[in-house]
């Protein structure tokens, strides 16, 4: 959250809002085309934590998959999730929810 505040302060609120809008549109595409019904949280976390430039790189990788259109939604989802995990690992980001003790009780 602090990183986001700093980004808005440094780049200006309009530029920050533009970035958020781009991320929102990408998330819509992910949820409509690559979500097998079980990846909603994962895609939300990925789009929130990764930089826009990195998200765009992953989306270009997805577009370049020549046989992607022939795959079922489970396979598309699996490949897409894996591409985001690879990008996150490069950025030293862990894409998972962490449950606290109060959430498990």
């Amino acid at each position: 959250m602090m990183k986001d505040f700093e980004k808005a302060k440094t780049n200006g609120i309009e530029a920050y809002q533009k970035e958020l809008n781009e991320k929102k549109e990408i998330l819509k595409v992910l949820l409509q085309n690559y979500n097998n019904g079980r990846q909603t949280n994962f895609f939300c976390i990925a789009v929130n934590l990764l930089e826009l430039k990195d998200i765009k790189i992953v989306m270009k990788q997805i577009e370049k998959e020549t046989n992607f259109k022939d795959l079922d939604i489970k396979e598309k989802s699996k490949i897409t999730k894996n591409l985001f995990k690879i990008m996150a690992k490069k950025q030293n980001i862990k894409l998972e929810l962490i449950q606290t003790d109060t959430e498990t009780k």
Side-chain angles (χ1 to χ4, degrees), residues 73-85:
I73 191 67
K74 286 183 180 183
E75 284 299 312
K76 287 180 184 179
S77 181
K78 183 178 174 181
I79 292 168
T80 302
K81 182 176 181 178
N82 191 46
L83 290 171
F84 274 104
K85 281 185 168 186

Side-chain angles (χ1 to χ4, degrees), residues 42-79:
F42 177 84
F43 289 144
C44 288
I45 291 167
V47 169
N48 187 47
L49 294 180
L50 289 170
E51 293 292 328
L52 181 58
K53 65 179 176 55
D54 296 327
I55 296 167
K56 287 181 175 181
I57 290 169
V58 173
M59 296 306 287
K60 284 192 186 296
Q61 290 173 324
I62 292 167
E63 289 173 16
K64 287 182 181 178
E65 287 286 334
T66 54
N67 65 340
F68 217 67
K69 293 176 184 169
D70 299 329
L71 299 176
D72 67 17
I73 191 67
K74 286 183 180 183
E75 284 299 312
K76 287 180 184 179
S77 181
K78 183 178 174 181
I79 292 168

